[in-house]
Amino acid sequence: STMFLVGLSGGIASGKSTVVAVLRELGCAVIDADVIAREVVQPNSKAHQQILQHFGTEILLENGEINREALGNIIFSQPEKRRLLNSITHPEILKEMLKQVLKYFVLGYRYVILDIPLLFETRGLTKFMKYTVLVYCDPPAQRARLMRRSGLGAAEAEARISSQLPLDEKRKWATHVIDNSGDRESTRRQVLRLHARLKDSLDFLWARLAVGTVVAGLGGLAFLLLRHFIS
């Protein structure tokens, strides 16, 4: 196989969703960590039960789902609570991401994009990526977009932006940067160029997460079959 992994990230209001929309239009395989994060905390899931144990039932909506805004307010002001939540949800998110990587691996995709908001903050997953892509915009545009989108004041918007690693810092770690400071058409042209480069690249890498899991799975299957025939 010639499939490899591409990590995609950005910052709050930097325009990552715009870039993802173009990639999906192009038929790219995109795994959205945010979507998975919502799925793994649905009622009756393992993560849902653990979150209730530590954060209480006051974070629930009437339908039993977790009130993301209420939980977000707790972890935003309490770093230790944020670390606790991450320790509950991250293993479940990673398992689901791995399942989806394997699916695209089997389907024969050239590359898979992992849309991970905190890719550069955690740094743990970057070692599995052949390339990392940052969706960048200049700080004034980022602040203005956040204020317009969320109805926040300047101070509130700045506080939200400051809670993340600055985009200029993330830019140092990315192998590719899409500058979303301009108009949508400019961003689209950059995404098209990136896709063409990735699609035609001859510098391929085995998807180490997928391969490792396949090998482990085959080994486990072989062991079970061997035990069956021996017994």
Side-chain angles (χ1 to χ4, degrees):
S1 172
T2 57
M3 191 185 82
F4 56 91
L5 303 180
V6 179
L8 175 69
S9 194
I12 186 170
S14 70
K16 184 164 59 65
S17 59
T18 299
V19 171
V20 169
V22 177
L23 289 167
R24 291 191 188 279
E25 286 177 18
L26 295 170
C28 298
V30 181
I31 298 174
D32 189 329
D34 267 352
V35 171
I36 293 174
R38 289 192 290 270
E39 291 174 347
V40 300
V41 296
Q42 289 299 302
N44 300 318
S45 67
K46 176 182 176 183
H48 185 274
Q49 295 171 0
Q50 291 179 329
I51 290 171
L52 291 187
Q53 290 174 5
H54 293 284
F55 292 89
T57 56
E58 59 270 19
I59 63 167
L60 288 181
L61 296 169
E62 291 184 3
N63 62 4
E65 294 184 2
I66 290 173
N67 185 330
R68 290 169 59 85
E69 183 178 356
L71 185 57
N73 290 335
I74 294 173
I75 65 173
F76 181 73
S77 58
Q78 302 181 60
E80 71 281 0
K81 294 287 188 180
R82 183 164 61 248
R83 288 191 290 269
L84 173 60
L85 179 64
N86 289 342
S87 71
I88 294 171
T89 59
H90 282 186
E92 300 303 312
I93 294 169
L94 288 174
K95 281 193 289 187
E96 183 56 34
M97 289 177 68
L98 183 54
K99 289 179 185 177
Q100 295 191 27
V101 167
L102 284 170
K103 177 184 72 174
Y104 291 121
F105 181 81
V106 171
L107 291 174
Y109 275 75
R110 179 65 56 87
Y111 68 93
V112 175
I113 296 168
L114 300 181
D115 178 359
I116 306 174
L118 299 180
L119 177 66
F120 295 104
E121 279 85 349
T122 57
R123 302 294 307 280
L125 289 176
T126 56
K127 62 178 175 289
F128 296 108
M129 311 299 167
K130 180 61 181 175
Y131 303 108
T132 54
V133 180
L134 174 70
V135 181
Y136 175 88
C137 72
D138 61 70
Q142 183 185 20
R143 184 169 56 251
R145 288 172 181 171
L146 179 57
M147 292 171 63
R148 184 168 59 250
R149 184 184 76 185
S150 303
L152 299 174
E156 292 175 303
E158 192 60 46
R160 294 290 178 93
I161 293 171
S162 298
S163 69
Q164 298 182 343
L165 193 66
L167 287 173
D168 284 324
E169 184 67 24
K170 294 180 182 181
R171 192 168 189 163
K172 299 175 185 177
W173 300 103
T175 56
H176 298 281
V177 175
I178 294 175
D179 192 335
N180 190 40
S181 302
D183 58 33
R184 189 177 293 264
E185 186 55 35
S186 171
T187 300
R188 181 180 178 83
R189 288 196 298 269
Q190 293 177 66
V191 177
L192 292 175
R193 287 197 296 269
L194 174 65
H195 173 59
R197 182 181 302 179
L198 295 175
K199 185 178 64 173
D200 298 334
S201 173
L202 296 178
D203 185 17
F204 298 132
L205 178 71
W206 279 88
R208 285 176 281 178
L209 279 172
V211 172
T213 303
V214 169
V215 172
L218 290 175
L221 179 60
F223 172 77
L224 291 174
L225 289 173
L226 181 62
R227 189 172 67 175
H228 172 75
F229 284 117
I230 290 177
S231 61

